[in-house]
Amino acid sequence: MGILVITIIVMFFVSLNLGLIRIAPMDVLRTLTGSGEERDALVLFQFRLPRMVIALLVGAGLAVSGAILQGVSQNGLADPGILGINAGAGLAVVLFIYFFQGSLTGLGTLSIFIMPFFALVGAGTAALLIYTLAWKKGITPVRLILVGIGVNAAFGAALIIFQLKMNPRDFMQATIWIAGSIWGTNWKFVLAALPWIVILLPLALYKARFLNVLNLGDQVATNLGTRVERERRILLFISVALAGACVSVAGGIAFLGLVAPHIARRLVGPKHQVLIPASALIGSLILLVADILGRNLLQPSEIPVGIVVAVLGAPYFIYLLIKTP
């Protein structure tokens, strides 16, 4: 975990240097200490820094959301993007913008802070729908994944319907955002997501011991004095709320919540008190690196960060699906 923190710091400074406008490392340090050029200060403080902070927050949030989902469902294939939770949150945000704002370009400060609440409603609706449809004398991993993929497709179709009703400019912006783009490149979006991440991540860590007990099975957990359904509902709420808040500022980024917990489990083991912070660090690192690649591979064009993560995560998902009995 110490190595992960050091790697994140290194990649953070690399990201500050790279972009359409290259800034030398010494100029970055001078600008951060307040003695740099005005142009460099504008690029760093108004464009790159908020975007990078969002990448760190969203990466940690989605990774922990996936770790909780995998622990609660005892399904290593669970991920808020694959199961349709991200799609539900995205649909709710698009509906909010379409009916109450009229345009993606006219979002006010209040609207930016309201979006995570709508995303939470959409993500919660998707989670409830998936759980209800997947239940048949219990939930099997394959049934959960298949139902989640179906719900994801349904919400995706609804998203397309409302996109087609938008003006061409909003349609393009919505398409890029849904693909997983850190579209909120200002500090308002950072402040909108920050309270959710700061409150829910420590709460997830506090509840980590219950995830350990739930992995022993409901009967054993009950015999150990755990209120199984109560703790399961609380953990699911934390996972869904994290996913919703992340989607509201970064769009539908799939596979991150799947890959990060698996890598963390291989590095630190299955104990959730260590697995959750390790997953958060790995998720932040993956999304920060994906953002660097997306911004720099095809300059001056930009690849949505969700596509970069999907290119990295899709083969791993197929591998896990093949290995799952």
Side-chain angles (χ1 to χ4, degrees), residues 29-99:
L29 291 176
R30 279 194 288 268
T31 303
L32 293 177
T33 55
S35 58
E37 296 182 5
E38 185 176 344
R39 185 204 68 166
D40 294 342
L42 176 66
V43 172
L44 290 181
F45 289 108
Q46 298 303 318
F47 295 101
R48 287 188 190 166
L49 272 175
R51 181 189 184 109
M52 291 158 55
V53 172
I54 287 176
L56 294 176
L57 293 175
V58 170
L62 288 177
V64 172
S65 177
I68 294 173
L69 277 179
Q70 290 172 16
V72 169
S73 65
Q74 299 180 35
N75 181 1
L77 298 175
D79 168 69
I82 297 170
L83 294 182
I85 294 174
N86 286 359
L91 177 60
V93 171
V94 169
L95 289 176
F96 166 71
I97 294 171
Y98 181 79
F99 286 110

Side-chain angles (χ1 to χ4, degrees), residues 96 101 106-118 188 192:
F96 166 71
Q101 296 300 122
L107 291 175
T109 302
L110 182 61
S111 299
I112 292 172
F113 283 90
I114 290 175
M115 283 196 303
F117 291 96
F118 276 83
K188 294 178 183 177

Side-chain angles (χ1 to χ4, degrees), residues 59 61 98 178 182 216 261 279 285 317:
Y98 181 79
I178 290 167
I182 303 176
L216 300 175
S279 298
L285 178 60
F317 170 68

Side-chain angles (χ1 to χ4, degrees), residues 306-323:
I307 294 178
V308 179
V309 174
V311 169
L312 300 175
Y316 193 69
F317 170 68
I318 295 171
Y319 165 76
L320 291 175
L321 195 61
I322 293 172
K323 298 291 287 186

